[in-house]
Amino acid sequence: MAYKASDTKYNEMKYRRSGTSGLLLPAISLGLWQNFGEVNVFNDFEKIILGAFDKGITYFDLANNYGPPPGSAEENFGRIFARNLKPYRDELVIASKAGYTMWDGPYGDWGSRKYMVASCDQSLMRMGLDYVDIFYSHRYDPGTPLEETMGALDYIVRSGRALYAAISNYPPAQAFEAFRILKELGTPCIAHQIRYSMLVRDRGDSLFELHKECGVGCVSFSPLAQGLLSDKYLNGIPENSRASRNFTLKGDFVAENTGKIGALNEIAKQRGQTLAQMAISWQLYDDRVTTVLVGVSSMKQLDDNISALANTAFRSDELETINKIVTQ
């Protein structure tokens, strides 16, 4: 049976302007970093992507190296797009990035114009798209002049490969220069994607004023600190978890924060939320974060995350207590 999107998909989702651009992004977006690669079950993530769109999630965040293996998340998304979402292309914001290793040799990594443009073309081919809505420089390249990397983004937009330019994971000083260069080129940066959560705050706290000054939206990823801000780690490190496998979430980081997540969970209970919901709500209580990227492995997790939108208000005493917990 052909997919038909829900007629009520826009009823509950909230949308926020990305910086001073004209682009509105859903408060919660779907990141395809994990769980959407070749090693995962295609039917499962097809249900998640379509279910997300039915809930008003219009922004799908990819990168050339997402998988595993690298490239497979884009290939799988492309299959889902062709099978189900092509009639809704003008209702979708699809993003990709280039900046990490994708192929052998000196031209398959970092931020040269040659790599950026070639990688964008490869991403479009994998997804079967004429263009992406947002194309990111995935990380700052200290070996390439910023003028070259930003010039590549400008060219990618002007050539019709992307509608908007953005950056990801840039330190404050380099982010400011990137914003300046893109503005002078006439292709302003509309978003800066950063790792940000209750437990990992330094980068966001050092950038929010700069984002506001330069009219750049903030796209927050890893809002649950790789799952630590969820029920999973309240009683230590469970078997078969990321921390137990020493994957991207390290066991010592879990150990350092076990007491904090227990205290935060008590506040969440008082608010009638799960810890994960409160962690997302906390990011959205003001306008510093444009959209929160969530990564999920089931519709249940996605529904739980979206439910955070029901309560994004915080009393001042709640915010003070949370701040004391996470900074102690």
Side-chain angles (χ1 to χ4, degrees):
M1 181 181 295
Y3 167 74
K4 182 181 182 302
S6 170
D7 292 333
T8 62
K9 60 183 178 296
Y10 296 122
N11 288 4
E12 302 298 330
M13 181 57 66
K14 298 176 175 65
Y15 298 87
R16 296 179 168 201
R17 190 170 304 281
S18 188
T20 55
S21 76
L23 186 65
L24 297 175
L25 298 177
I28 294 176
S29 300
L30 186 63
L32 278 67
W33 175 37
Q34 301 288 340
N35 306 314
F36 295 89
E38 188 178 286
V39 299
N40 305 104
V41 179
F42 181 85
N43 287 342
D44 289 347
F45 51 72
E46 183 173 47
K47 290 177 182 176
I48 292 171
I49 288 173
L50 300 182
F53 186 48
D54 283 339
K55 298 283 187 178
I57 291 179
T58 54
Y59 174 30
F60 297 91
D61 185 82
L62 297 109
N64 57 358
N65 64 326
Y66 286 180
S72 59
E74 289 184 327
E75 290 173 351
N76 285 324
F77 182 83
R79 290 173 61 192
I80 294 166
F81 174 81
R83 284 161 48 124
N84 305 282
L85 294 172
K86 197 168 186 177
Y88 303 98
R89 178 63 184 97
D90 293 338
E91 298 181 54
L92 303 175
V93 174
I94 302 169
S96 192
K97 314 177 191 74
Y100 288 92
T101 305
M102 274 302 289
W103 61 87
D104 293 337
Y107 315 122
D109 199 354
W110 292 103
S112 71
R113 181 186 181 94
K114 181 170 178 60
Y115 168 63
M116 296 288 289
V117 176
S119 184
C120 183
D121 286 343
Q122 291 180 21
S123 291
L124 293 175
M125 288 181 63
R126 281 191 289 267
M127 291 188 283
L129 299 175
D130 296 325
Y131 68 94
V132 290
D133 297 273
I134 306 173
F135 196 74
Y136 289 84
S137 168
H138 206 166
R139 61 171 170 170
Y140 167 65
D141 178 2
T144 299
L146 265 176
E147 288 81 3
E148 179 175 342
T149 304
M150 296 305 106
L153 286 180
D154 175 64
Y155 171 75
I156 285 167
V157 171
R158 292 183 185 276
S159 64
R161 292 168 169 88
L163 301 184
Y164 298 97
I167 63 172
S168 176
N169 294 310
Y170 273 51
Q174 288 74 24
F176 176 76
E177 277 300 293
F179 300 158
R180 181 189 63 78
I181 293 167
L182 284 172
K183 183 177 181 180
E184 289 181 355
L185 289 171
T187 302
C189 182
I190 69 150
H192 185 192
Q193 193 167 136
I194 64 170
R195 183 187 300 274
Y196 185 63
S197 70
M198 284 180 167
L199 300 176
V200 182
R201 298 175 54 182
D202 291 350
R203 180 55 56 86
D205 290 344
S206 66
L207 281 164
F208 287 137
E209 284 303 313
L210 178 61
H211 290 164
K212 184 176 181 180
E213 175 187 340
C214 297
V216 176
C218 175
V219 178
S220 164
F221 70 91
S222 197
L224 305 186
Q226 297 292 293
L228 188 55
L229 289 167
S230 69
D231 298 340
K232 182 182 294 185
Y233 293 95
L234 288 173
N235 297 311
I237 301 176
E239 292 184 10
N240 298 319
S241 64
R242 288 182 180 179
S244 69
R245 300 192 301 272
N246 199 32
F247 188 49
T248 52
L249 180 62
K250 306 299 182 182
D252 55 354
F253 181 69
V254 177
E256 291 170 6
N257 289 286
T258 298
K260 294 179 182 180
I261 62 176
L264 291 171
N265 189 54
E266 291 303 312
I267 299 175
K269 287 180 181 178
Q270 295 169 15
R271 289 171 50 83
Q273 293 181 307
T274 65
L275 178 56
Q277 287 170 347
M278 186 178 77
I280 293 170
S281 296
W282 176 81
Q283 296 207 30
L284 295 172
Y285 80 92
D286 62 18
D287 61 359
R288 298 184 304 174
V289 173
T290 305
T291 184
V292 176
L293 287 178
V294 300
V296 301
S297 58
S298 68
M299 274 305 300
K300 183 179 183 302
Q301 288 182 354
L302 183 63
D303 288 338
D304 183 65
N305 289 343
I306 293 174
S307 294
L309 296 175
N311 183 10
T312 57
F314 283 81
R315 300 192 312 270
S316 59
D317 62 302
E318 289 178 322
L319 292 172
E320 290 173 6
T321 302
I322 289 170
N323 189 56
K324 287 180 182 178
I325 291 170
V326 299
T327 57
Q328 65 186 5

